[in-house]
Amino acid sequence: MTAHDATQELLRPVPDEDGAPFFDYAARGELRVQTCTGCHEPRFPPRPCCPHCQSFDSLWTKTSGRGRIWSYVLPHPPLLPAYAAQAPYNVILVELAEAPRIRLVGNLVASADAALDSVDPVRIRIGAPVRAVFHAMPDGPTVVRWLLERP
């Protein structure tokens, strides 16, 4: 199975009404987070009501797309065949630079369209600076992936 074949069988996010704008912006190459217009607090995951001030008013704020690795795992064993074909791969939790309480899950890769195993696990470090890139999944939404700032 090639990396392209494996990518086609990976799980795809299913955007709901609240989260759809996140994927719409990602398709345009922008990392945006929902932000309350009442108290100006960013929030993720997207939801109708602000957990800080209970306002229902929000907008999508563009971020720099930069952050740091807050945590990571190397799943053993991968539970689905498409993921097993790319093992060992990583799943990282990224803390956004301008919104430290916002943490996004993704994969650290060598390029936006690279296989999930394209970064040697020994290169992953807590606190390492990363930047967002965008991968259009075949027949699915565009997802955020991450590159090391200093490869």
Side-chain angles (χ1 to χ4, degrees), residues 33 42 63 66 94-103:
V33 295
T63 73
R66 288 183 157 52
V94 174
E95 177 182 75
L96 293 184
E98 55 270 271
R101 287 189 288 161
I102 303 292
R103 296 186 183 122

Side-chain angles (χ1 to χ4, degrees), residues 32-83:
R32 291 187 180 235
V33 295
Q34 190 182 44
T35 303
C36 178
T37 56
C39 68
H40 308 288
E41 284 290 326
R43 62 183 184 248
F44 199 90
R47 49 197 175 266
C49 181
C50 177
H52 304 283
C53 73
Q54 288 69 56
S55 171
F56 283 90
D57 298 323
S58 66
L59 54 83
W60 286 83
T61 306
K62 188 173 182 179
T63 73
S64 66
R66 288 183 157 52
R68 68 179 192 91
I69 297 175
W70 193 79
S71 185
Y72 71 95
V73 296
L74 304 171
H76 294 285
L79 299 177
L80 300 172
Y83 290 89

Side-chain angles (χ1 to χ4, degrees), residues 83-139:
Y83 290 89
Q86 295 191 57
Y89 64 93
N90 63 75
V91 178
I92 65 173
L93 187 60
V94 174
E95 177 182 75
L96 293 184
E98 55 270 271
R101 287 189 288 161
I102 303 292
R103 296 186 183 122
L104 302 177
V105 175
N107 302 101
L108 185 65
V109 291
S111 68
D113 298 323
L116 298 184
D117 63 353
S118 62
V119 172
D120 187 333
V122 302
R123 297 183 60 218
I124 304 171
R125 298 281 184 267
I126 301 295
V130 293
R131 67 179 172 86
V133 292
F134 303 91
H135 171 71
M137 297 188 78
D139 301 320

